[in-house]
């Protein structure tokens, strides 16, 4: 490895070293200091990736800093940074202390930075599973709540099965192609039956990570049991990482005809079941969990097209969805400092007693519903536009109708915030870290809803 190679791999090196520093030096430092080090690490890695030119040549064996990596690494770093800011006050009130939490977030970020740089199946598998291992730990961090341990156990057991499917699928692709390199393994024309079987098994594993129906049943329990900032990070970065893995595989070969029916069913069932199940939820985290099932159905619809427009829509919507869910779960976390506000009715009147956080939560709900002028409208527009152009008109119409249905349960939260009163005392004022994180996410949602051109250009460059 020479100096230019080190330069392109610095985001990975920064996050890895930062995680080790926090973990090893944490016992000697105050809790706030370890969080500050983690925040600086995430910011430094993201900024380095932004200002580093992508390269077609591998920096080290199995790792290449591609245009896609230059796009995704800053996104993952921003999500980790906002998660750390939102976690500080929340963790203090939940007695979640020590260096383990920020270190684990950085270890997850390290794996997330490796994933888009992977150029062979082995590195790709190790990266996506390392992300999952970090989240197994993060979900169980709240030792004071029995739901947290239960959620972690369910996630671990289901995740182990999904990992087995993914590993077996990659093994079949390797057996059919004779190479681990992405460029040769996926696009290889020989032994089509084995490669197609491998693809099918990989999709089964990714269906779990994306919470696609019928591999979605873990999602509401894990979202409900996990600390709210962890649910924010899990519902965004891990989902975008799994979708990006499929995108990286499809970049070398469009979806095989044999896979069309499974992908259609996964997308269709996720959009319909996710939104219909969310209609019946009174717990806000479970409602957001089922809604995420539907949103992953939209992403699968974009993948299904097999077109550049579809892949661009996936990256665009994944970015906007990250901001929307960080804003939603971030507001929930900040409003739940004294007590858990699990029920939708717990948010009655908070639009007046906590105007900043109530406003951000309302904006996130409107954006998730896909209403203009939010980024959610732009994201859904490009998803359905790419689907129609790609020949998936029937699925696009079903997606549009299911998105219209989703407006009911999102607006139900907004109605509680502004159309109902509560006799409960006003929640504690938001900390500076919470306010900064929520304002950043809200600004991103609004700016993209009005002026999406810069993000569209970045997405276009990432697909070069």
């Amino acid at each position: 490895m020479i100096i230019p190679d080190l330069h392109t791999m610095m985001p990975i090196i920064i996050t890895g070293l930062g995680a080790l520093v926090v973990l090893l030096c944490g016992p000697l430092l105050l809790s706030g200091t370890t969080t500050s080090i983690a925040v600086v690490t995430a910011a430094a890695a993201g900024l380095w990736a932004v200002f580093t030119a992508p390269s077609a040549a591998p920096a080290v064996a199995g790792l290449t800093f591609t245009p896609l990596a230059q796009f995704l690494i800053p996104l993952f770093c921003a999500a980790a940074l906002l998660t750390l800011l939102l976690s500080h006050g929340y963790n203090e009130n939940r007695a979640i202390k020590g260096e383990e939490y920020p270190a684990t977030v950085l270890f997850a970020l390290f794996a997330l930075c490796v994933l888009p740089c992977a150029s062979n199946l082995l590195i790709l598998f190790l990266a996506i599973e390392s992300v999952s291992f970090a989240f197994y730990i993060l979900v169980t961090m709240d030792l004071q709540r029995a739901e947290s341990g239960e959620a972690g156990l369910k996630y671990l057991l289901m995740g182990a099965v999904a990992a087995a499917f993914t590993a077996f699928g990659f093994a079949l692709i390797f057996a059919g192609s004779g190479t681990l390199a992405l460029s040769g393994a996926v696009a290889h024309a020989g032994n089509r039956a084995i490669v197609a079987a491998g693809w099918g098994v990989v999709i089964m594993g990714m269906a779990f990570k994306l919470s696609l129906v019928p591999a979605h049943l873990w999602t509401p329990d894990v979202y409900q049991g996990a600390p709210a900032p962890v649910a924010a990070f899990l519902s965004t970065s891990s989902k975008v990482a799994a979708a990006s893995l499929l995108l990286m595989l499809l970049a070398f070969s469009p979806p095989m005809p044999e896979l069309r029916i499974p992908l259609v069913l996964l997308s269709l069932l996720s959009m319909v079941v996710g939104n219909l199940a969310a209609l019946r939820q009174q717990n806000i985290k479970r409602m957001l969990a089922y809604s995420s099932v539907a949103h992953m159905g939209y992403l699968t619809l974009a993948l299904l097209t097999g077109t550049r427009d579809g892949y661009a829509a996936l990256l665009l919507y994944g970015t906007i969805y990250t901001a929307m869910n960080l804003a939603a779960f971030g507001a929930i976390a900040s409003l739940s400092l004294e007590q858990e506000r699990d029920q939708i009715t717990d948010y009655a009147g908070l639009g007046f007693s906590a105007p900043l956080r109530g406003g951000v939560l309302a904006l996130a709900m409107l954006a998730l519903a896909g209403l203009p002028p939010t980024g959610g409208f732009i994201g859904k527009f490009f998803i359905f536009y790419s689907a129609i152009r790609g020949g998936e008109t029937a699925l696009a119409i079903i997606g549009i109708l299911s998105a219209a249905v989703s407006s009911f349960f999102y607006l139900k939260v907004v109605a509680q915030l502004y159309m109902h009163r509560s006799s409960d005392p006003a929640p504690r004022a938001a900390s500076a870290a919470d306010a900064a994180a929520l304002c950043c996410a809200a600004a991103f949602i609004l700016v993209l809803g009005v002026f999406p051109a810069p993000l569209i250009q970045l997405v276009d460059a990432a697909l070069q």
Side-chain angles (χ1 to χ4, degrees):
M1 182 183 289
I2 57 178
I3 298 300
D5 297 333
L6 282 173
H7 185 271
T8 56
M9 290 293 105
M10 276 304 290
I12 296 174
I13 296 171
I14 289 171
T15 52
L17 289 177
L20 290 174
V21 168
V22 170
L23 188 63
L24 296 177
C25 298
L28 308 176
L29 302 172
L30 297 174
S31 176
T33 305
T34 56
T35 301
S36 299
I37 293 173
V39 168
V40 170
T41 299
L47 288 173
W48 194 291
V50 168
F51 295 107
T52 300
S55 171
V60 294
L63 293 175
T64 306
F65 190 73
T66 61
L68 181 63
Q70 189 187 31
F71 178 83
L72 287 176
I73 289 176
L75 175 63
F76 293 142
C77 289
L81 190 154
L82 294 183
T83 299
L84 288 164
L85 291 177
L86 292 167
S87 300
H88 183 60
Y90 185 91
N91 288 354
E92 284 187 346
N93 284 274
R94 295 294 182 283
I96 303 175
K97 300 178 181 178
E99 66 280 358
E100 296 88 354
Y101 184 91
T104 307
V105 171
L106 287 182
F107 279 123
L109 180 58
F110 170 80
L112 288 166
C113 291
V114 169
L115 187 141
C117 298
S119 57
N120 69 51
L121 294 175
L122 180 59
I123 300 297
L124 201 59
F125 174 75
L126 291 175
I128 193 67
E129 291 309 317
S130 296
V131 173
S132 297
F133 290 154
F135 280 114
Y136 299 153
I137 299 170
L138 288 171
V139 167
T140 61
M141 274 290 178
D142 192 350
L143 302 179
Q144 308 300 319
R145 296 175 63 221
E147 298 95 331
S148 184
E150 179 186 347
L153 181 60
K154 289 180 179 178
Y155 190 28
L156 173 62
L157 293 176
M158 296 294 291
V161 176
F165 275 112
T166 306
F168 185 50
F170 282 167
L172 287 175
I173 292 174
F174 171 65
S177 63
T179 178
L180 287 173
L182 292 181
S183 56
V186 181
H188 191 75
N191 226 327
R192 182 182 182 90
I194 295 179
V195 174
W199 258 109
V201 179
V202 167
I203 288 175
M204 291 172 66
M206 290 302 105
F208 164 83
K209 297 188 184 299
L210 287 170
S211 301
L212 296 174
V213 175
H216 69 293
L217 296 176
W218 62 273
T219 313
D221 290 337
V222 171
Y223 281 30
Q224 182 180 359
V230 172
F233 198 28
L234 171 64
S235 66
T236 54
S237 295
S238 71
K239 301 297 178 66
V240 174
S244 300
L245 183 147
L246 292 176
L247 177 61
M248 292 168 68
L249 295 176
L250 291 171
F252 297 99
S253 177
M256 292 181 169
E258 299 94 322
L259 302 177
R260 171 175 165 73
I261 292 179
L263 287 174
V264 166
L265 290 176
L266 287 172
S267 177
L268 173 63
L269 290 174
S270 298
M271 290 188 295
V272 174
V273 173
N275 282 318
L276 291 180
L279 280 173
R280 297 180 56 83
Q281 303 306 312
Q282 300 302 317
N283 183 294
I284 192 167
K285 288 184 180 179
R286 296 183 73 88
M287 182 268 283
L288 289 173
Y290 280 112
S291 83
S292 76
V293 173
H295 286 282
M296 293 306 106
Y298 304 146
L299 289 188
T300 308
L301 174 58
L303 273 176
L304 180 62
T305 64
T307 63
R308 183 184 174 87
D309 284 343
Y311 299 158
L314 182 148
L315 289 178
L316 181 72
Y317 195 74
T319 304
I320 296 170
Y321 180 74
T322 298
M324 294 188 296
N325 254 31
L326 283 170
F329 278 105
I332 291 170
S334 184
L335 289 167
S336 302
L337 294 179
E338 297 92 350
Q339 59 179 358
E340 289 292 336
R341 297 181 186 272
D342 288 334
Q343 301 302 308
I344 294 175
T345 53
D346 293 339
Y347 293 84
L350 291 183
F352 300 103
S353 58
L356 172 62
R357 290 166 289 177
V360 171
L361 181 58
L363 175 64
M365 293 298 111
L366 295 175
L368 287 166
L371 299 179
T374 66
F377 170 77
I378 299 297
K380 281 189 172 65
F381 174 84
F382 277 98
I383 287 282
F384 297 132
Y385 170 77
S386 67
I388 292 171
R389 288 199 61 181
E392 303 295 341
T393 305
L395 268 182
I397 292 173
I398 294 172
I400 293 169
L401 293 175
S402 68
V405 169
S406 72
S407 299
F408 175 79
F409 55 80
Y410 290 127
L411 293 178
K412 184 165 63 173
V413 178
V414 179
Q416 286 291 334
L417 288 168
Y418 293 103
M419 299 179 68
H420 294 80
R421 293 288 184 176
S422 174
S423 58
D424 295 337
R428 186 190 310 175
S431 67
D434 286 357
L438 292 175
C439 287
C440 287
F444 194 80
I445 293 169
L446 285 174
V447 170
L448 287 181
V450 178
F451 191 53
L455 180 59
I456 294 173
Q457 293 171 1
L458 291 173
V459 167
D460 186 62
L463 293 174
Q464 295 296 330

